[in-house]
């Protein structure tokens, strides 16, 4: 599993974390899938715990912070599409701690 995403014949700079390699439309995309939690009988035992922790973290961010789009509604109007639909400007967000008084 460790070597799956680090094949120098498939990926340029395989030792670097470059998530944009899957978003770059100018390059021919690899047919190899991302194997985040594995599959089959050797699937990661911690997958459900990881998903639960991510859900809890998002819930805490939603509860304790006000969110504001840095570029306003333009982030929602200028979209690109790959496997998913996503904002062209990557939708930067500013967090402000909520005042609980």
């Amino acid at each position: 599993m460790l070597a799956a995403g680090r094949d120098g014949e498939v990926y340029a700079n395989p030792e670097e974390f470059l998530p944009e390699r899957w978003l770059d439309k100018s390059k021919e995309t690899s047919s190899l899938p991302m194997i985040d939690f594995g599959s089959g009988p050797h699937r990661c035992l911690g997958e459900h715990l990881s998903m639960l922790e991510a859900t809890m973290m998002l819930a805490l961010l939603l509860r304790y912070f006000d969110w504001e789009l840095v570029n306003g509604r333009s982030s929602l109007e200028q979209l690109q599409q790959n496997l998913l639909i996503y904002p062209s400007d990557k939708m930067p967000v500013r967090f402000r701690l909520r005042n609980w008084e």
Side-chain angles (χ1 to χ4, degrees):
M1 294 299 280
L2 180 63
R6 297 181 181 189
D7 186 352
E9 293 180 15
V10 178
Y11 302 108
N13 304 321
E15 296 296 321
E16 292 183 45
F17 176 68
L18 301 169
E20 62 272 9
R21 70 180 63 186
W22 288 279
L23 300 176
D24 191 356
K25 293 180 182 178
S26 65
K27 298 179 184 175
E28 186 176 319
T29 57
S30 172
S31 61
L32 299 174
M34 283 182 51
I35 313 171
D36 296 333
F37 293 107
S39 63
H42 301 287
R43 191 165 188 91
C44 176
L45 294 175
E47 176 185 8
H48 297 291
L49 176 61
S50 175
M51 297 301 247
L52 178 63
E53 287 177 337
T55 302
M56 290 301 301
M57 188 67 200
L58 179 58
L60 290 171
L61 285 170
L62 289 170
R63 180 175 183 180
Y64 291 107
F65 292 90
D66 289 321
W67 298 39
E68 177 185 354
L69 292 173
V70 172
N71 298 327
R73 290 199 53 84
S74 68
S75 291
L76 303 173
E77 295 165 353
Q78 298 173 5
L79 303 175
Q80 292 182 358
Q81 185 172 356
N82 193 349
L83 291 174
L84 302 172
I85 296 173
Y86 60 95
S88 300
D89 65 357
K90 299 185 173 84
M91 195 181 274
V93 176
R94 182 177 298 121
F95 296 98
R96 289 202 175 98
L97 187 58
R98 286 193 176 148
N99 187 356
W100 291 94
E101 293 178 22

